[in-house]
Amino acid sequence: MLRWPSLHRPLDVLFLVTCVALTADVLIPEIWGNGKTKDYPLWFWAGQQVLQGRPLYPGDPNAYFEFIYPPLPAILLAVPSWFGKIPLYLVLSLLNAAAWWITSQLSNAMAGSGRVPDTWVAALPGFITLTFVFDMFDLGQPNLVLLAMMLAGFWWLQHGRALAAGSMFALATAIKVFPVAVLPWLVWRRHWMAAASMVACTGILLFLVPAPVRGFERNVAELSTWYRGMVGSSSEKGFGQRDAQNWSWVNQSIVAVTHRLTRPINWRQDDPAQPPQTMNVLDLDFATANRVVIAVFLAIGLGFIAVLPPPSKLTARSNAEELGILFCLMTIASPLSRQYYFMWLFFPITVLIHRAVYDPRPAARAATWIVLVLAGALMCLSLPLFPLYLQAMGNNLAATIVLVAGLVWHIRRPPLANDNVTNAVN
């Protein structure tokens, strides 16, 4: 099922044209305008810091970090940065284009419907998530590339290549930490080899790979500074170096939305020019709100375990639905889930589209379309047409919960064998 784009397929041509247009959005401002903004200059700065042997972080972990990622991504960025801004931006755009294609191919191949999807079925998830893809190119964020890495890891895991799967999960984690959430699932499902590979490779990528470039002791010191400034920092004001953003409307993680609903937080603190606005229904202190967050995570974790089928009843269909739920949970469990993080809903959406089209039960197909429409409507509330208050309330979080509900229904109520026979006869 996996294939290269073809110039003989109209939708493949549309994909390539779209990628060219999105790449132009990145390069034209840099070549003929005032320079590309968003995160692109930061990536060039990080690469240059490595090339020139300069520090990536300030000496004080409480000071402001320009670069909030582990040292490894800066090492990777240094190679194309050596050639200049335009080559770097072009490489990042090509990576996003390749990741978009790989994500679509792997998502459809792993959807568990037992069918080679029709062309429009295969393309529909890409149309639904197009605004997220635009963000990937426009902002220069790596979440789409990370999604392709994770899907490749699960593809290898399903095909008996546990070591390769673990190494891919490790690479994603070493670039942007939140994919580490896959590790508890690997342990629960007893994928011991993949889990061990992930842990070992993460250590290698964080501690050993940067050492020849930065020096072992310096890399350890920088990694320690990064950990204390990013992972080890949390207070009523915020966390992870971006206090003004992480409690505000831009963050739709479980952590942020729960705090906004349980504490009188100014959800417009991202813009000091705006008057303070709160949306809390409870008035808890910081510690109590954190206990509520822990309770929510515990309930979600136990609920996830409860719906998982036992190993003896696993099928390609249930595997797809299980991974769809896992991708949803990894997205919203990250302490920071900005708009572009929900690019990771691509795979769950693909699985549900396959169910909406190919499930042998007419009622199940109709109900799945309702789930998809409702989730899509909630995601549309992020458009500039609607007030920011709806995003502060967690419209994308709500859309993710709707998708999880649909996947849970399918994983708990698979079609019976006679349903498939009847559908084949019809």
Side-chain angles (χ1 to χ4, degrees):
M1 179 179 287
L2 304 181
R3 61 179 182 82
W4 293 92
S6 171
L7 296 178
H8 300 290
R9 296 172 179 255
L11 283 179
D12 288 11
V13 173
L14 179 60
F15 165 80
L16 294 172
V17 170
T18 303
C19 288
V20 170
L22 292 171
T23 302
D25 172 69
V26 176
L27 297 183
I28 288 177
E30 186 63 38
I31 299 173
W32 291 291
N34 296 322
K36 181 61 180 174
T37 58
K38 310 297 173 59
D39 287 324
Y40 284 95
L42 175 61
W43 307 148
F44 181 73
W45 175 87
Q48 289 296 313
Q49 292 295 103
V50 172
L51 291 171
Q52 298 171 21
R54 296 176 179 174
L56 290 170
Y57 316 103
D60 182 1
N62 297 315
Y64 182 84
F65 287 16
E66 293 290 344
F67 187 71
I68 61 174
Y69 300 89
L72 178 69
I75 304 296
L76 299 177
L77 289 165
V79 178
S81 295
W82 187 83
F83 297 94
K85 284 187 175 182
I86 294 176
L88 170 65
Y89 298 175
L90 178 60
V91 167
L92 295 177
S93 297
L94 292 176
L95 282 174
N96 270 324
W100 192 13
W101 180 261
I102 292 169
T103 293
S104 178
Q105 291 288 294
L106 289 176
S107 294
N108 281 289
M110 297 167 63
S113 62
R115 299 279 297 270
V116 176
D118 297 334
T119 302
W120 72 271
V121 175
L124 187 55
F127 287 108
I128 293 175
T129 58
L130 186 57
T131 58
F132 299 129
V133 174
F134 172 78
D135 282 344
M136 296 300 101
F137 281 84
D138 187 52
L139 298 174
Q141 276 291 323
N143 290 55
L144 178 54
V145 175
L146 298 180
L147 174 58
M149 289 180 180
M150 297 298 288
L151 287 170
F154 284 115
W155 175 263
W156 286 334
L157 188 63
Q158 292 177 1
H159 289 77
R161 300 178 62 186
L163 291 177
S167 65
M168 190 59 74
F169 297 148
L171 179 58
T173 300
I175 292 174
K176 202 167 185 177
V177 179
F178 77 96
V180 74
V182 74
L183 183 59
W185 179 86
L186 292 173
V187 173
W188 181 261
R189 279 304 192 187
R190 300 183 180 181
H191 294 295
W192 305 120
M193 189 66 71
S197 173
M198 179 180 176
V199 171
C201 290
T202 300
I204 292 171
L205 290 168
L206 290 177
F207 288 95
L208 299 184
V209 170
V213 179
R214 304 293 282 173
F216 183 78
E217 292 184 358
R218 182 180 188 182
N219 177 64
V220 170
E222 288 192 325
L223 195 59
S224 174
T225 300
W226 168 82
Y227 181 86
R228 286 183 290 161
M230 286 296 302
V231 181
S233 65
S234 179
S235 69
E236 294 185 51
K237 294 181 179 180
F239 55 92
Q241 286 285 321
R242 299 296 184 263
D243 295 353
Q245 300 177 9
N246 291 349
W247 291 136
S248 74
W249 65 274
V250 301
N251 186 3
Q252 293 200 38
S253 69
I254 293 174
V255 174
V257 174
T258 301
H259 273 269
R260 289 199 294 268
L261 290 174
T262 59
R263 292 200 296 132
I265 300 174
N266 174 22
W267 59 268
R268 287 309 318 267
Q269 62 185 262
D270 63 298
D271 186 355
Q274 295 292 328
Q277 300 181 54
T278 59
M279 50 174 277
N280 56 303
V281 295
L282 298 176
D283 192 0
L284 305 179
D285 58 44
F286 178 67
T288 305
N290 277 335
R291 286 192 284 270
V292 173
V293 171
I294 293 172
V296 170
F297 277 129
L298 183 61
I300 291 173
L302 292 176
F304 184 37
I305 292 172
V307 303
L308 296 181
S312 60
K313 295 185 178 181
L314 291 178
T315 64
R317 180 187 178 99
S318 70
N319 282 337
E321 292 150 359
E322 181 175 332
L323 291 183
I325 297 171
L326 181 62
F327 271 96
C328 289
L329 297 184
M330 286 192 292
T331 301
I332 59 179
S334 170
L336 178 61
S337 293
R338 301 189 66 167
Q339 171 76 8
Y340 53 82
Y341 275 63
F342 292 88
M343 178 75 242
W344 275 37
L345 299 183
F346 191 107
F347 179 69
I349 288 172
T350 303
V351 174
L352 285 173
I353 287 175
H354 278 243
R355 302 297 175 269
V357 176
Y358 300 122
D359 194 291
R361 300 162 294 181
R365 293 198 300 270
T368 306
W369 280 120
I370 292 173
V371 167
L372 287 166
V373 170
L374 178 57
L378 287 168
M379 287 189 288
C380 285
L381 297 178
S382 296
L383 296 173
L385 302 172
F386 301 99
L388 292 179
Y389 182 80
L390 297 175
Q391 293 188 62
M393 289 293 292
N395 66 298
N396 284 328
L397 175 60
T400 306
I401 293 171
V402 169
L403 294 176
V404 169
L407 291 164
V408 167
W409 188 92
H410 277 285
I411 203 171
R412 299 299 294 176
R413 294 174 176 80
L416 301 175
N418 60 343
D419 291 328
N420 290 308
V421 172
T422 302
N423 186 63
V425 171
N426 292 336

